[in-house]
Each structure stands twice: as structure tokens, then as C-alpha cells.
Amino acid sequence: MQGRIGKPFRRVAGWSLWHIPSKTLRGYVLVVYGAAAAVTAATAFLMPVTAVDLTRFGALACCAVVCIELTRRVERQREYLRAATAPYQDTKSVWSFAAVLVLPPSLASAMVVLTYAAAWWRVWPRRQRPVPPYRWAFSGSTVLCGTQAAVAVLALGMHRYPGVPEPSIPSGLADLGVVAAAALLRWLVNAALVMAAILLANPEAGIADLVRSFSEHLAEAGAMGLGLVAATLVVDNPVVLAGVVLALVVMHRVLLLRQYQSQARTDPKTGLATAGRWQELAEQSLARAQDRGSTLGMLMVDLDHFKDINDQRGGHLAGDRVLAAVGEALRAETREQDVCGRYGGDELAVLIPDVGTPENLLAIAERIRRRVRALRVEIPAADDLDAVEITDLTVSIGAAMSPAAGVDDLVRRADAALYRAKSDGRDRTCLSPDPGPGPGRRRSANT
């Protein structure tokens, strides 16, 4: 008997929620759970549920489930590609926002629960779910909080609630403004709660990291616009809801394509261009320089003793933090038209159009080198490792100037100069003496 009673408690004790390293974050998640439950219960009995409401709920629910099923592979890949500091873009809000408009609050809340439960069940294979259940439930809770905020705005401002905007121009425009305000408040509440959790989970993340992909939030705005369309259709012509499902499937494809493009162009550890993207931009810059007869400089920047950082000073977490800090140093010391990229491993490349003279190129290299020397990179405690601060970073830099037979030739010359800087003692800059052919020597990423 005791075994039967204790089994549910052991399951609860094993939830990943209790293993969140940060007590503050764990407490915050529980507070949001409680707030979502409280505000949902507070609005649940404000309005009765009629047979018409249940019919409309069924129509929206069927469309939501079909849409989740048709887009589940895309959603799975979108979640894999999403950065840790990027809020999830919820296109399921089409159906939950439509429910907010035309259904009583209890059914609107039920739509949120249904869509999140269906997505959790269908998007991820049972044995390959990378997102812990508490995070999925937290996302649903933030949406529930935003939903109840939208209910309050609609109930106070709409001429007829639940319902869609009035067809007459003055009243309809006023209702449309109320709907827009409700949608904005719903998004603000949800985004604020999620961003607070991200900051608690990633203390090193800044506001810039959270708003870097702000344009992607337009997708959620579009989803709420489609929600208004879906609400109107479920009242007047439910059959046409199939068109909204089709539009959502297409929108998912576009979102995935944008994320693939972003991932292909930006290195996630440094924020610089990937090697492929850097090569593409470098070829364009070299062609322009040759057409205009202007100068082009290149710097090959390599972290000194990077292997020791990975092996002795905090593992790959420390290495990633250092790479990110050095990438930020490169961006701070270069112009917008300069092309910074991660060439490979701990090797970073900078292409500088219209650099003028070799002296200018060396001055830029020296600024980068001094800025890296001044870096202080904090590595938080992890597992059995204590928190540390790395303050003795140095880089070796190889520099080369055009003319060059091509980007590969420019890279080879800068690489040869970098090898000489390493051989001469590291923490220095060497300039390639001439543009002529010669054997470049590749170094290990561990140097």
C-alpha cells in the first residue's frame, strides 16, 4: 500500500522542474504557473457556455489540430534551430486568439491548453523530446496570462463580446482598435514573462540578445491577424477556415527558411559570419576593390593557447565564452563595411575594404590585439568546476594587403604571416611582405 501511495510522489519528485540549477528561476516558474491558474480560474465563470460556443470551439479545435499535424516536422526543426536566448514564435496563437474573440473565457483558456497539449504530443517523438515538460507548460502558462489580459481589454472595450468587430464603419473601427490593443497586451504579457525567464536562465544574456531577432516577432503579429480572420470566419462561414490552415502551413515554411538562412550565415558562438558566408562576402569585396582600383586588407586572428582554455580552464563552456568575447572585440574595432567571420576553430578573419596603407591595416590589427588583452571573461561555475575569470587572453594576427589573385591567395598570405607571428612568440602582428606566391603553412586550432 505504501509503495502504491509513494509512487506518484516519487514521480513528482523526479520532475525536471525540481532540477533547475537556479532556485530563483525555479521559483519564478512556479509563480507563473500559479498566476496562470489563478487568472484562468477568475475568468472561467464570467460567461455561460452555449451550444453555439461549443460548436465554434469544435471548429477551431479541429483546424488547430490539423494545422499542428501538417506543420509538426517544421515546428520540430524550428525548435532545434532556435537560439537559447530567442523567444519562441508561437503561430498556434491563430487559434487561441480567435477563441479569445468569439468564445467565453473558459473556452478561450481551453483552446490554449488544447493547442499546447496537441503540439507537445505530436511535434516531438516520445523518446526524442529535447524540451523539458516544465518549459512547455511554462510557455502555455505565459500565454494563459496574456489571454486573460486580452479578455479584460475585449470585455471592457468591445461593443459585443464575445464577438467580432461591428460591420458598420465607426463602430467597427473602434472595435478593431480594441482588438489590436488586446492583441498587443497579450503579446506584451507573454513576451515579458518569457524574456524574464530567459534572463534568469542565462544571466550573461543581454537585452540585445533578446531583441536581436525582433523582426521575427512580426510572424506572431501576422498570426494574430489571421486569428481575427479565423474568428470572423468561424462566425460567418466556418468552411473557409481551411484557407487559414493553408496560409499557416505556408507561413511555417517561410519561417523555417529564414531560420536556415540565418544559421547558414551567422556563427552561433561568435555572432560573426560563418566561413561560407565570409568567403562569399570576401569575394564580392575583392571584386569591388579590383574594379575601383582600391585597397583591401585582411587580418587572420588566432587565439593563443586556446586548447589550454578548453582543457584546463572550464572546458568547452569557457572556450565558447572566450570565442564570443573575442568576436565582440572584433566587431567593436571594425566598421560596418568590414567583414568579420569565423574562419575555423579559434581562427577569425577580418576583411577591410579601402584600408589605404599597410600602416592603417597594422593599426587596426594592433587595436584588436590590445582590446583582446584587456578582456575579462567570466566563466560561471559548472558541475565540479568553480567560477573563474580569464584575464590573460592574447591573439596573434597575420595581415595581408591586396592586390591578390583571389580570396584564397589573400587568405594564404595572411595565414603565412600569422604563422610567423606564432613562431616569433605569439601576441603580436606580422604583415605579409609581398603578394607573390609562396607556401602558406596551416596551424592547428590548438595553438
Side-chain angles (χ1 to χ4, degrees):
M1 179 66 69
Q2 289 181 346
R4 292 180 180 179
I5 296 175
K7 189 173 181 180
F9 290 99
R10 287 196 297 271
R11 287 182 178 177
V12 172
W15 287 354
S16 55
L17 170 63
W18 312 120
H19 301 289
I20 298 176
S22 169
K23 292 182 179 179
T24 303
L25 177 59
R26 191 188 315 154
Y28 176 75
V29 170
L30 291 173
V31 167
V32 173
Y33 285 168
V39 294
T40 300
T43 62
F45 303 102
L46 291 179
M47 297 179 183
V49 176
T50 67
V52 173
D53 293 329
L54 291 174
T55 301
R56 291 172 178 172
F57 177 86
L60 291 173
C62 287
C63 289
V65 170
V66 169
C67 190
I68 289 170
E69 184 66 27
L70 292 177
T71 61
R72 63 191 181 94
R73 295 183 185 277
V74 178
E75 281 295 305
R76 189 181 307 162
Q77 294 176 65
R78 281 212 303 137
E79 180 63 24
Y80 275 125
L81 292 176
R82 183 170 62 92
T85 56
Y88 175 67
Q89 304 307 308
D90 181 20
T91 55
K92 299 186 297 298
S93 58
V94 169
W95 313 109
S96 57
F97 190 64
V100 169
L101 293 174
V102 298
L103 298 178
S106 58
L107 292 182
S109 299
M111 184 63 67
V112 174
V113 175
L114 171 69
T115 54
Y116 269 82
W120 168 254
W121 186 256
R122 293 302 300 154
V123 169
W124 301 108
R126 294 186 184 182
R127 297 182 180 180
Q128 302 176 17
R129 288 174 174 165
V131 182
Y134 80 84
R135 281 179 53 189
W136 204 252
F138 176 81
S139 296
S141 297
T142 63
V143 174
L144 281 172
C145 290
T147 294
Q148 309 315 321
V151 165
V153 172
L154 294 170
L156 292 173
M158 290 279 285
H159 285 88
R160 181 180 55 196
Y161 175 76
V164 294
E166 294 286 331
S168 60
I169 293 299
S171 300
L173 289 177
D175 282 347
L176 195 60
V178 173
V179 169
L184 178 61
L185 183 59
R186 183 182 188 271
W187 175 81
L188 283 174
V189 170
N190 180 40
L193 292 173
V194 171
M195 287 182 179
I198 291 174
L199 289 175
L200 289 173
N202 303 276
E204 73 282 359
I207 299 299
D209 297 311
L210 297 179
V211 301
R212 184 173 297 164
S213 57
F214 186 80
S215 61
E216 293 185 9
H217 286 285
L218 294 176
E220 197 157 347
M224 291 195 189
L226 281 176
L228 175 59
V229 174
T232 305
L233 290 176
V234 78
V235 171
D236 296 332
N237 193 350
V239 175
V240 187
L241 282 172
V244 178
V245 173
L246 177 61
L248 269 178
V249 172
V250 173
M251 191 166 70
H252 273 73
R253 298 290 179 183
V254 173
L255 282 174
L256 180 64
L257 178 61
R258 288 187 61 185
Q259 284 186 285
Y260 269 132
Q261 289 174 337
S262 176
Q263 187 188 47
R265 294 180 177 182
T266 305
D267 175 65
K269 292 183 179 179
T270 63
L272 306 178
T274 59
R277 178 61 174 167
W278 184 90
Q279 183 81 14
E280 177 186 342
L281 294 173
E283 290 174 354
Q284 295 172 4
S285 297
L286 182 59
R288 283 195 297 269
Q290 291 172 340
D291 290 341
R292 299 171 182 173
S294 59
T295 57
L296 186 71
M298 179 178 171
L299 302 176
M300 192 68 79
V301 182
D302 193 274
L303 276 159
D304 297 326
H305 303 295
F306 185 66
K307 186 175 187 297
D308 292 343
I309 295 173
N310 280 329
D311 291 349
Q312 304 171 18
R313 306 180 68 176
H316 290 289
L317 172 61
D320 291 348
R321 293 290 183 90
V322 167
L323 282 174
V326 174
E328 184 61 35
L330 259 64
R331 286 194 294 270
E333 294 295 345
T334 53
R335 306 164 299 176
E336 289 186 4
Q337 62 265 39
D338 300 333
V339 183
C340 302
R342 185 181 181 189
Y343 201 77
D346 60 327
E347 194 171 68
L348 310 176
V350 185
L351 200 71
I352 306 171
D354 300 312
V355 69
T357 65
E359 289 75 18
N360 291 342
L361 182 62
L362 288 174
I364 296 169
E366 283 300 294
R367 289 206 311 267
I368 292 172
R369 190 179 65 83
R370 288 194 297 268
R371 192 177 188 97
V372 171
R373 283 184 65 105
L375 287 176
R376 305 174 69 90
V377 183
E378 295 183 0
I379 311 300
D383 298 330
D384 57 343
L385 299 175
D386 295 330
V388 297
E389 184 178 64
I390 298 177
T391 59
D392 56 351
L393 293 172
T394 62
V395 292
S396 300
I397 302 177
M401 291 275 294
S402 61
V407 172
D408 290 342
D409 181 39
L410 198 60
V411 169
R412 178 192 57 76
R413 288 165 45 213
D415 192 65
L418 175 56
Y419 179 78
R420 191 165 67 253
K422 290 281 189 182
S423 300
D424 290 348
R426 298 183 174 88
D427 189 22
R428 66 192 64 220
T429 300
C430 286
L431 177 67
S432 177
D434 63 77
R441 296 181 62 179
R442 302 300 299 167
R443 296 153 319 289
S444 165
N446 298 331
T447 59

